[in-house]
Amino acid sequence: MGPGPTRRIAGRDEAAQRAANAEAPEIPHLWSRVGSLFRPYRSQLALTATLVIITASAGVIPPLIIERIFDDALFPPDAAGPNLTLLAELVSLVVVIFLATAALGVWQTYVTSSVGNRVTGDLRMQLFDRLQAMDLAFFTRTKTGVIQSRLQNDVGGVSGVLTTFVSSIVGNSVTVLASLVAMILLDWRLTLVAVVMMPLLVMVQRRVGQIRARLASRTQESLSEMTAITQETLSVSGILLSKVYNRQRLESRRYADENANQVDLQVRLSMSGQWFFGLVTVIMSSVPAVIYLVAGILIARANDQGLDPTITAGTVVAFTAIQGRLLFPLMALMRVALEVQTSRALFARIFEYLDLEPAIRDSADARDASAAPGPMGRVEFRDVTFRYPDAPAEARATLDGVSFVAEPGQTIAFVGPSGAGKTTVVYLAARLHEASGGAVLFAGEDVRQLTHESVVERVGVVTQETYLFHATIAENLRYAKPDATDAELIAACRAANIHDQIERFEHGYDTVVGERGYRLSGGEKQRIAIARVLLKDPPVLLLDEATSALDTVSERVVQAALDRAAEGRTTLVVAHRLSTVAEADVIHVVDGGTIVESGTAAELEAAGGLYATLAAQQSR
């Protein structure tokens, strides 16, 4: 075989995910939904709009005063020299206006920035909360890097629009309108000359915006892929894998390829429309020269006809000053229009995630598990069927017709070949998945009639792959019970057979465990996880192959801790090694998504079925 693909095998959804990133989804009423983000800040927006209107309107007044400075103060028609008194008054007025608009501009910037950044923060929190509410199946079929990209890159990409949109649109629109009105009052003929090219510029701007929107979507898709590569390869697990297989160069090359693509897209995005703005600048900058020419022609024609020219030197100076003020707000409006078009794809990707519906939701009349009719700790499956939401219709169900009862205090084990559906049973019991058919009962009540939070609060889970935060041992333990005292931590760790080991660490319970707990051994991590569950003190304990990855010595120590943790609790155990569940009250043998045998270890051994076969294989 050849060297194989350079891209990591990430699952069936990679191509689909990339396509989804590249093609922004269609979101109904997208811009009205974006506008609704500002609803909680209506009063601040009103203040912003008022300040912007005052500032923009006041900015047109100085050029009109300049006309009077030229025609009435510097060159009065009926005086031999300048009118210094009037000149001083008019100049002082211009300075006062500039000072006032500058102060109002600072205030407006503060209010605008506050609103824009708060809206961005609200959007980020809404997206994070929605992701927190999603069911486990969503995360098993979506790459973590893609999720991170939506939360960081996409929200970051629209923050500029959210921060400056209102002030830029309102302020520049008022400036343009006020400038046009002032120009018309000065001379309507010169105004026609100044604005004749605007319709063409608007048409070209729209075309440039469409191009930038497509480039922005591709740029975000590339950022999403880079985030995914970073998350995969620079995590502790990823870097360990690349080192043991000597694939650092391969991963660097993979990142370099996507980085080069990102650089190319960023350059193209930065350059797209630059020629357009260059053309706008040339046209708008050339307009004053054309104004001079047209004004000269109009003045000469009036003189030839023996009429007093309606255009004075002050008119021309004031008009070109106002027209010069028109350039920057007009370009700013065009840039905002381009940014809005560019941001559409990003907003669509964000709202696509905000519109996700969790598979597990509380019903309108859901009640707390404490109000359930049965004894706390009773778990029952009634003809439960489960298939993953993205599974093909013709695919075999992961679970099909599973029924059993676990009474309070019992230990119920699930054994069988890999892929038989054992772990799915445990996750359904914790309502991390929702049954496709049948019913899962907790304390005698269908879990769909109980609040999800109240069920999860009464269930403790220890999995094969223990997850610890990059924090101290004490902080990891208190994740289960934030207000736990030191004495409670010690008691839980003693019960989990890990206290003495922690005491031997240099910093004891303040020892930082490293990312995912990689500074600890597998057995130490598992026992800390058990202590964390003991702090939670749930009536139902779910153990998903909690010792299968440990060596024999560690397994014995951890198994002793698990046995102690299971005392007085309903315990559902998924086991690979049959010896660890030999004392279980009932063992269910799962194969092909169904329970094919049930009984004690002795009964199943004597029956000579699948359990006996598995036992024989493990005894060799």
Side-chain angles (χ1 to χ4, degrees):
M1 295 178 65
T6 59
R7 190 161 306 284
R8 186 188 311 283
I9 297 173
R12 299 176 53 203
D13 64 330
E14 180 173 349
Q17 184 63 59
R18 287 178 63 88
N21 285 341
E23 299 296 331
E26 287 295 327
I27 305 296
H29 313 296
L30 176 63
W31 294 118
S32 63
R33 294 183 63 181
V34 173
S36 69
L37 296 171
F38 291 88
R39 192 169 295 132
Y41 305 98
R42 286 189 292 264
S43 58
Q44 294 94 321
L45 286 177
L47 175 60
T48 299
T50 301
L51 292 172
V52 168
I53 291 172
I54 294 173
T55 304
S57 301
V60 182
I61 297 175
L64 298 178
I65 298 176
I66 288 174
E67 182 184 27
R68 289 203 59 199
I69 289 176
F70 266 81
D71 293 342
D72 299 336
L74 284 175
F75 308 106
D78 301 326
N83 184 340
L84 296 180
T85 301
L86 179 60
L87 181 62
E89 292 175 353
L90 293 174
V91 169
S92 298
L93 181 59
V94 170
V95 173
V96 169
I97 291 174
F98 282 146
L99 287 172
T101 54
L104 290 174
V106 172
W107 187 12
Q108 171 223 311
T109 300
Y110 169 75
V111 177
T112 302
S113 177
S114 298
V115 171
N117 283 290
R118 285 190 173 93
V119 170
T120 302
D122 292 345
L123 183 60
R124 188 180 291 113
M125 278 308 307
Q126 288 179 30
L127 186 55
F128 187 83
D129 287 343
R130 173 59 59 176
L131 291 169
Q132 284 282 315
M134 291 305 295
D135 54 287
L136 187 63
F138 169 78
F139 296 96
T140 62
R141 66 176 182 266
T142 309
K143 293 200 299 187
T144 303
V146 172
I147 296 173
Q148 290 175 339
S149 181
R150 297 275 175 125
L151 192 59
Q152 299 169 7
N153 298 333
D154 290 358
V155 175
V158 301
S159 62
V161 173
L162 293 174
T163 302
T164 62
F165 179 77
V166 174
S167 62
S168 184
I169 290 290
V170 175
N172 290 311
S173 296
V174 171
T175 300
V176 169
L177 289 174
S179 298
L180 288 174
V181 170
M183 289 162 63
I184 292 172
L185 292 176
L186 288 170
D187 194 282
W188 64 271
R189 295 164 297 180
L190 298 181
T191 303
L192 289 177
V193 174
V195 302
V196 68
M197 294 295 291
M198 284 188 182
L200 176 62
L201 294 178
V202 171
M203 293 174 60
V204 176
Q205 175 269 329
R206 184 175 181 180
R207 174 60 181 163
V208 172
Q210 294 171 345
I211 295 173
R212 284 179 62 87
R214 286 196 293 269
L215 282 173
S217 181
R218 293 175 58 189
T219 300
Q220 289 305 115
E221 183 269 339
S222 176
L223 277 175
S224 175
E225 182 63 19
M226 289 185 70
T227 303
I229 293 173
T230 302
Q231 190 274 331
E232 287 178 347
T233 59
L234 296 184
S235 65
V236 174
S237 300
I239 202 69
L240 179 61
L241 185 66
S242 67
K243 285 184 177 295
V244 297
Y245 283 97
N246 195 26
R247 290 293 183 267
Q248 295 96 316
R249 291 183 181 178
L250 178 71
E251 297 297 351
S252 294
R253 193 183 319 127
R254 185 159 76 104
Y255 189 83
D257 291 343
E258 196 60 53
N259 186 53
N261 183 39
Q262 176 66 203
V263 169
D264 178 64
L265 287 169
Q266 290 284 3
V267 171
R268 292 172 61 187
L269 185 61
S270 299
M271 292 305 298
S272 63
Q274 291 305 308
W275 57 267
F276 166 69
F277 286 113
L279 177 63
V280 172
T281 302
V282 170
I283 291 175
M284 298 299 290
S285 299
S286 301
V287 167
V290 178
I291 294 297
Y292 298 147
L293 175 61
V294 173
I297 293 172
L298 293 175
I299 292 172
R301 184 177 297 175
N303 291 333
D304 291 343
Q305 295 176 355
L307 302 174
D308 289 332
T310 58
I311 300 177
T312 65
T315 301
V316 174
V317 172
F319 191 94
T320 52
I322 293 176
Q323 188 274 329
R325 281 184 51 83
L326 191 65
L327 171 62
F328 292 107
L330 186 62
M331 289 188 64
L333 281 175
M334 291 182 175
R335 287 188 184 276
V336 168
L338 284 179
E339 288 177 6
V340 168
Q341 285 180 272
T342 301
S343 300
R344 181 196 172 281
L346 307 186
F347 277 119
R349 286 158 54 92
I350 292 169
F351 280 106
E352 181 188 30
Y353 265 32
L354 286 175
D355 290 342
L356 291 171
E357 290 293 340
I360 301 174
R361 290 176 292 175
D362 289 340
S363 61
D365 57 347
R367 52 181 178 165
D368 193 276
S370 60
M376 189 56 61
R378 191 175 196 269
V379 177
E380 181 180 359
F381 277 42
R382 291 181 182 173
D383 198 26
V384 170
T385 300
F386 176 78
R387 63 172 63 247
Y388 286 96
D390 56 342
E394 66 277 7
R396 177 180 62 82
T398 305
L399 293 181
D400 188 10
V402 172
S403 298
F404 69 88
V405 177
E407 298 292 352
Q410 279 191 325
T411 296
I412 308 298
F414 298 88
V415 301
S418 296
K422 305 183 297 296
T423 295
T424 305
V425 171
V426 169
Y427 286 167
L428 282 167
R431 211 188 175 197
L432 297 175
H433 292 313
E434 194 80 286
S436 306
V440 177
L441 281 72
F442 188 89
E445 183 69 85
D446 191 322
V447 292
R448 288 167 291 199
Q449 300 303 315
L450 301 174
T451 61
H452 182 249
E453 182 177 299
S454 68
V455 173
V456 172
E457 194 63 34
R458 290 166 172 79
V459 174
V461 182
V462 179
T463 62
Q464 175 182 347
E465 185 180 354
T466 298
Y467 189 92
L468 298 179
F469 295 103
H470 185 69
T472 66
I473 293 174
E475 288 169 331
N476 273 283
L477 291 170
R478 286 195 172 97
Y479 193 74
K481 187 179 180 181
D483 59 347
T485 64
D486 291 346
E488 288 176 312
L489 297 188
I490 292 172
C493 289
R494 286 188 187 279
N497 291 334
I498 189 62
H499 171 71
D500 292 340
Q501 182 62 44
I502 294 174
E503 287 291 284
R504 285 195 286 269
F505 294 150
E506 181 179 357
H507 301 291
Y509 283 83
D510 292 326
T511 300
V512 176
V513 302
E515 185 176 357
R516 300 180 68 88
Y518 264 86
R519 295 178 64 182
L520 305 176
S521 70
E524 290 167 346
K525 287 193 296 183
Q526 284 294 69
R527 281 178 282 164
I528 288 175
I530 294 168
R532 186 165 58 187
V533 167
L534 290 173
L535 270 177
K536 186 179 182 182
D537 194 23
V540 177
L541 183 62
L542 309 177
L543 307 176
D544 182 16
E545 300 198 48
T547 64
S548 63
L550 304 177
D551 59 80
T552 303
V553 175
S554 296
E555 179 186 5
R556 289 172 181 166
V557 176
V558 171
Q559 188 61 51
L562 289 173
D563 292 340
R564 191 173 302 167
E567 292 176 359
R569 309 175 200 275
T570 305
T571 307
L572 305 186
V573 185
V574 173
H576 172 70
R577 295 189 181 98
L578 303 184
S579 59
T580 61
V581 294
E583 301 301 321
D585 296 294
V586 180
I587 299 174
H588 296 295
V589 183
V590 183
D591 189 22
T594 63
I595 294 178
V596 296
E597 293 180 303
S598 297
T600 64
E603 291 170 347
L604 293 172
E605 187 81 40
L610 179 57
Y611 181 90
T613 302
L614 294 173
Q617 291 173 349
Q618 292 186 15
S619 64
R620 293 173 185 171

